[in-house]
Amino acid sequence: MQTIQVHVFARFRDVFGTDVVEIILPQPATVRELRAAVVLSKAEISGLLARSQVAVNNEFAGDDALVCAGDEIALIPPVSGG
Amino acid sequence: MIELTRGPIEYNALTERVRRAHCGAVVTFLGTVRDLTGDRTTVALDYEAYPGMAEKKMAEIEADTRARWPVGDIALVHRLGRLDVGEISVAVAVSCPHRQQAFEACRHAIDRLKELVPIWKKENWADGSTEWVHPNAECGNKASAQSE
């Protein structure tokens, strides 16, 4: 198992009450497994998470991408800059 | 150049910065905090970014815009923190030899910024409530039009 630190922003940060959420995953694990684990930890964000992207090392990552404990992982809810 | 800043955006200086002798057109877009969204009144917006990724995506948009149009220079600046109604949240300044290129390049850059850059705004409504703006891409979101 590995502990993944996930950076969260905006509504995610308000819901989790912190900037960084720790998620425990098997090793190796995919973005898809990360999403499932995040929903398990906080069911109320499932709708927003489904509309969100996951960033691995500052790049948008597909559900099959691998996540490792040393990567910089972030949940990117729909953006609203401008 | 690209920049995230917590201070006011100096759009005159930004516009001057991109002017070039071979560019006969300069277009500067300013996004400002609007007071009404639908029938709700905004008193302030709080902007936050995922800074490293936001700067990376803004740099990619600069490079992409330079690749598509004959850009003399281009500047993208987004402000973070609390902004009152009327304040400038984002500025894009572009110079090109001719005006059509400059308009298109500026439009492209601001559109991509709003689509791709991990920055979020939180509405502070007049009734005291707050709400993060997370637009629904499929059906649109009335709040997503803020500052356009």
Side-chain angles (χ1 to χ4, degrees):
Chain A
M1 303 297 275
Q2 56 181 339
T3 302
I4 304 280
Q5 296 202 325
V6 182
H7 297 263
V8 293
F9 303 93
R11 178 146 178 267
F12 283 133
R13 196 191 52 245
D14 285 359
V15 171
F16 283 103
T18 178
D19 294 338
V20 179
V21 179
E22 291 199 335
I23 301 288
I24 296 171
L25 290 176
Q27 194 170 11
T30 63
V31 166
R32 184 178 292 104
E33 290 166 305
L34 173 72
R35 286 176 177 274
V38 169
V39 169
L40 276 182
S41 73
K42 200 71 90 170
E44 69 196 89
I45 54 93
S46 64
L48 183 60
L49 185 65
R51 299 195 290 121
S52 300
Q53 294 185 275
V54 173
V56 178
N57 298 327
N58 290 326
E59 194 51 69
F60 296 117
D63 283 349
D64 293 327
L66 293 176
V67 294
C68 303
D71 292 333
E72 184 172 319
I73 311 289
L75 299 184
I76 311 290
V79 301
S80 54
Chain B
M1 61 84 82
I2 58 104
E3 185 184 18
L4 299 174
T5 179
R6 294 195 166 266
I9 295 175
E10 303 292 345
Y11 57 93
N12 281 332
L14 203 70
T15 304
E16 283 298 318
R17 182 189 178 118
V18 302
R19 286 177 6 90
R20 294 291 181 275
H22 69 281
C23 290
V26 179
V27 171
T28 298
F29 170 85
L30 303 179
T32 65
V33 178
R34 192 183 55 243
D35 60 352
L36 285 177
T37 294
D39 56 0
R40 301 195 77 182
T41 301
T42 298
V43 294
L45 295 176
D46 293 308
Y47 284 92
E48 74 166 39
Y50 178 16
M53 186 172 176
E55 288 169 347
K56 179 177 182 231
K57 289 292 155 193
M58 289 167 75
E60 288 174 5
I61 292 166
E62 174 179 348
D64 178 51
T65 306
R66 287 179 181 276
R68 290 165 180 246
W69 286 275
V71 171
D73 203 358
I74 176 170
L76 298 96
V77 181
H78 205 298
R79 189 171 169 190
L80 304 175
R82 172 152 301 196
L83 276 71
D84 294 329
V85 169
E87 290 196 278
I88 297 164
S89 55
V90 63
V92 177
V94 185
S95 62
C96 288
H98 302 286
R99 71 183 183 285
Q100 183 174 344
Q101 303 156 343
F103 275 119
E104 288 177 1
C106 186
R107 172 76 187 257
H108 174 79
I110 184 62
D111 285 355
R112 297 297 277 169
L113 184 152
K114 289 181 69 85
E115 176 188 349
L116 291 176
V117 177
I119 295 175
W120 301 270
K121 63 168 71 84
K122 184 169 70 178
E123 290 276 6
N124 293 266
W125 301 110
D127 64 7
S129 64
T130 65
E131 179 184 356
W132 283 106
V133 180
H134 292 308
N136 186 330
E138 283 110 53
C139 58
N141 179 323
K142 62 183 179 180
S144 72
Q146 176 64 266
S147 85
E148 274 189 326

